[in-house]
Amino acid sequence: TGASAPAAGIAPASTTVTPAGHHFAAKLTGKATFKAGAVTVTCTVSSSAPGASGTNNSVPAAPNNTNPSGPVSNTINAPTFSSCTASIPGVTAAITTSGTWGVAMQNGSPISATLTIPTGGFVLQTNGLASCTVTAAPTAPANIAGTWTNGAPSKLGFANASVPVHVVGGFGCPTSSTSSTFTATYDVTDVTDPASQITVTG
């Protein structure tokens, strides 16, 4: 659901995301890092934007943009990653994403956000001295815990968030790793009305 487990007997807080029905885009600010074992890959370009049509990257239309006792969820286009480098000298890195991803916001303090990666929807490939393939969410969709901060623009952040992975490859590849960490911050802007902000409240 994207929400932290409430205390026993206490329902999750209500959540409203506005403006209802507006499309949004997410763009990386700074760097995104993925770390599995001793290998760290850093990317400086990443984004997810709405297509020409469809419901991805859209705040749900009213009344579905409000949940009286839990998070508000929507689907997004798979984010792209480029300008990636590896921590191992002589190694290049590239990331391929696919499928429909998801994001859920739960009002609270802080506001929690969960990014859902579809099964096999993220593949990191390194080549050179270490040729490795790292597949995130290898057997089932994976929920990645983050936070949401209202602002101009609002921000979606992940700090050493755990991601299940499967690693294959030869020498230098962290084949024993079953999880990696993901750190990134995205600016989230209203594409429908650039003067508005995507906001999460109770």
Side-chain angles (χ1 to χ4, degrees), residues 66-131:
T66 294
N67 185 341
S69 59
V72 172
S73 306
N74 61 271
T75 55
I76 64 172
N77 291 317
T80 58
F81 295 88
S82 59
S83 298
C84 302
T85 58
S87 59
I88 303 175
V91 172
T92 60
I95 292 172
T96 303
T97 57
S98 61
T100 298
W101 293 38
V103 65
M105 280 78 75
Q106 169 67 61
N107 185 49
S109 182
I111 301 169
S112 65
T114 300
L115 181 70
T116 300
I117 303 175
T119 305
F122 176 102
V123 178
L124 188 160
Q125 180 74 50
T126 65
N127 290 288
L129 296 179
S131 295

Side-chain angles (χ1 to χ4, degrees), residues 175-196:
T175 53
S176 63
S177 296
T178 58
S179 66
S180 67
T181 58
F182 174 51
T183 298
T185 300
Y186 289 84
D187 287 340
V188 181
T189 56
D190 190 323
V191 175
T192 303
D193 178 10
S196 298

Side-chain angles (χ1 to χ4, degrees), residues 23-29 46-50 57 76-77 79-80 148 154 156 185-191:
H23 283 85
F24 60 85
K27 183 178 181 180
L28 179 69
T29 175
S46 178
S47 64
S48 174
N57 292 71
I76 64 172
N77 291 317
T80 58
W148 177 275
S154 294
L156 176 62
T185 300
Y186 289 84
D187 287 340
V188 181
T189 56
D190 190 323
V191 175

